[in-house]
Amino acid sequence: MKIFTLIFIILFFISCSEPVEEITPRRAKLVESVYSSAVVQPDSLYKAYANVIGILENNLVEENDQVGAGTPIIRLINIAPELNVKNAKLNVEKARDNLSGPSAILKSLEKEIKAAKLRLRNDSVNFLRQKRLWEQNIGSKLNYENQKLAYELSSNNLQLLKEEYERTRNELSIQVTQALNNYRSSAYSSEEFTIHSKINGTIYALYKQPGEIVNTIEPLALIGSTNNFVIELMVDEMDIVKLEIGQKTLLTLDAYGSQVFEATVKKIFPAKNEGSQTFKIEAVFIKNPPKLFPGLGGEANIIIAEKQDALIIPKEFLIDENNVLTEDGPVEIVTGLQDLEHVEIISGIDENETLYKPE
């Protein structure tokens, strides 16, 4: 083994026409992180669409305007729906008038019922008088039967009128309900011609101008939070298992040059983007930059581990990821944390060992 090592060292130094670069491991703080591209977007950012096809009549807001939830932002031409609403409202008023108005159908039936009650009372009195006379063998049987028949007919007529009254009242109530439903449906359809903001936020973009045709596929506006922004990070699938909620993130934005901002991982989306083979991560600023705009790009490093007093060497001194070249030849080592340039040495060598850079 010693002969092999000696031969290796001799061949190594003979093969080098220039002096070999050498170092000794040193102790320093080492931070291991996951790299990601970054895009800043307003929180709750969404695109507003129309629910109907029409023509844009007017943009009720301008870009960069702040709006509240429910604020009308775009109006479409809606002549036909407005007429439908008016007609439906008239039908509601008519149905209510039929049910309980001064000229209601039920008023007429109530009068008929009142007259039928009086007629029944009169026929009842006549029938009872004739019945007492007949029981005393006074009068003819024909008169008795005629009075009895008149009483029964009045009683049946009153009952029929009461049933008709209840039936008519139920039908009119149903007509009022149906008219109200039609009115609400027409009013809702009319509302669909006005697009409202779903959140408190800022209008970041308006995509259509008055007179343009609107459909249900193309967005009309871009709306998002005014002050709350999130950082969208795209992480390679090889690194996704290293990430956790709450991990510290260091971010640079192209608009701010080399200035570094701190953020925290807020959300990890579980679905992979098959096109880019990446996973989406959301982070939030610990302290917002002075000014933020949708779409600001940059780079981020999500810190997954750090060590204050790590024994480190440059990665370029590694051989096959777990060996280094010493005066005694290749030595196997165990590595730990690593960043883009350095790797931690767990065991195999110490800080007094001289290492040579491999060709």
Side-chain angles (χ1 to χ4, degrees):
M1 180 65 183
K2 292 182 179 180
I3 297 176
F4 173 79
T5 302
L6 180 60
I7 295 173
F8 180 88
I9 295 172
I10 293 173
L11 291 175
F12 172 75
F13 286 107
I14 291 176
S15 63
C16 297
S17 59
E18 298 179 0
V20 178
E21 184 178 348
E22 62 182 57
I23 62 163
T24 57
R26 63 186 179 89
R27 292 196 174 273
K29 180 180 179 180
L30 185 64
V31 178
E32 184 172 357
S33 62
V34 169
Y35 171 82
S36 170
S37 59
V39 177
V40 176
Q41 296 288 14
D43 192 17
S44 304
L45 186 70
Y46 80 98
K47 292 180 179 180
Y49 293 81
N51 292 326
V52 293
I53 298 174
I55 297 175
L56 196 147
E57 181 179 12
N58 191 18
N59 285 320
L60 306 177
V61 293
E62 295 182 357
E63 291 172 328
N64 211 37
D65 280 356
Q66 294 185 20
V67 296
T71 301
I73 57 174
I74 297 171
R75 181 178 293 123
L76 309 181
I77 293 176
N78 60 341
I79 296 175
E82 284 183 357
L83 294 177
N84 291 337
V85 171
K86 290 180 180 178
N87 290 334
K89 187 176 182 180
L90 290 174
N91 289 334
V92 170
E93 293 172 355
K94 180 180 179 181
R96 283 175 173 168
D97 186 63
N98 289 337
L99 178 63
S100 55
S103 60
I105 298 174
L106 293 179
K107 296 291 184 182
S108 176
L109 288 174
E110 287 173 357
K111 292 178 181 179
E112 291 186 35
I113 290 173
K114 186 176 181 180
K117 286 180 178 179
L118 293 175
R119 190 160 44 251
L120 176 62
R121 184 182 302 171
N122 183 65
D123 290 340
S124 174
V125 170
N126 292 334
F127 169 64
L128 291 175
R129 184 188 305 115
Q130 190 65 40
K131 182 180 179 183
R132 284 194 297 270
L133 292 172
W134 176 247
E135 289 173 347
Q136 298 173 13
N137 294 320
I138 300 173
S140 66
K141 185 178 181 181
L142 179 61
N143 288 337
Y144 167 74
E145 290 179 347
N146 286 338
Q147 291 299 330
K148 181 181 179 182
L149 179 61
Y151 168 72
E152 291 175 347
L153 289 174
S154 297
S155 178
N156 290 338
N157 183 55
L158 177 60
Q159 183 61 34
L160 289 173
L161 286 172
K162 287 181 177 181
E163 291 175 356
E164 183 180 357
Y165 178 88
E166 289 300 322
R167 183 174 61 254
T168 302
R169 186 176 66 175
N170 290 336
E171 290 176 353
L172 293 175
S173 296
I174 291 172
Q175 289 176 10
V176 170
T177 302
Q178 290 175 337
L180 278 171
N181 290 339
N182 290 334
Y183 173 69
R184 289 169 183 155
S185 177
S186 298
Y188 177 77
S189 297
S190 179
E191 280 295 308
E192 289 186 336
F193 281 79
T194 301
I195 291 86
H196 301 78
S197 174
K198 296 180 180 179
I199 62 171
N200 297 326
T202 296
I203 304 296
Y204 287 104
L206 294 170
Y207 300 119
K208 295 281 188 178
Q209 296 301 318
E212 292 189 60
I213 296 176
V214 172
N215 56 43
T216 58
I217 300 175
E218 297 176 315
L220 301 181
L222 182 68
I223 309 169
S225 174
T226 301
N227 299 315
N228 297 325
F229 285 79
V230 296
I231 310 157
E232 294 182 357
L233 310 173
M234 302 307 294
V235 176
D236 189 272
E237 65 175 323
M238 301 296 292
D239 297 319
I240 189 64
V241 295
K242 304 175 185 177
L243 302 186
E244 300 288 345
I245 301 296
Q247 287 174 330
K248 183 178 178 181
T249 303
L250 301 179
L251 174 73
T252 58
L253 297 173
D254 296 339
Y256 285 93
S258 59
Q259 187 174 354
V260 178
F261 301 97
E262 292 188 7
T264 302
V265 173
K266 176 185 177 183
K267 188 174 184 179
I268 300 174
F269 291 84
K272 182 174 73 171
N273 185 316
E274 296 296 339
S276 62
Q277 298 296 300
T278 58
F279 285 84
K280 181 181 176 181
I281 309 295
E282 270 190 8
V284 292
F285 287 102
I286 294 177
K287 182 180 180 181
N288 279 0
K291 291 184 178 180
L292 287 175
F293 298 90
L296 288 182
E299 297 179 326
N301 285 284
I302 305 170
I303 298 174
I304 59 175
E306 56 184 321
K307 195 170 184 177
Q308 293 295 331
D309 189 32
L311 185 63
I312 64 172
I313 64 171
K315 283 186 174 181
E316 56 192 11
F317 279 77
L318 286 177
I319 303 173
D320 297 331
E321 297 186 355
N322 60 351
N323 286 274
V324 291
L325 184 60
T326 68
E327 293 179 353
D328 298 324
V331 173
E332 186 174 353
I333 58 171
V334 177
T335 60
L337 302 183
Q338 55 182 301
D339 60 17
L340 292 176
E341 297 180 351
H342 298 88
V343 61
E344 178 190 12
I345 306 299
I346 301 297
S347 63
I349 58 173
D350 58 30
E351 51 196 306
N352 297 317
E353 190 79 58
T354 299
L355 305 180
Y356 299 97
K357 185 178 180 180
E359 289 292 326

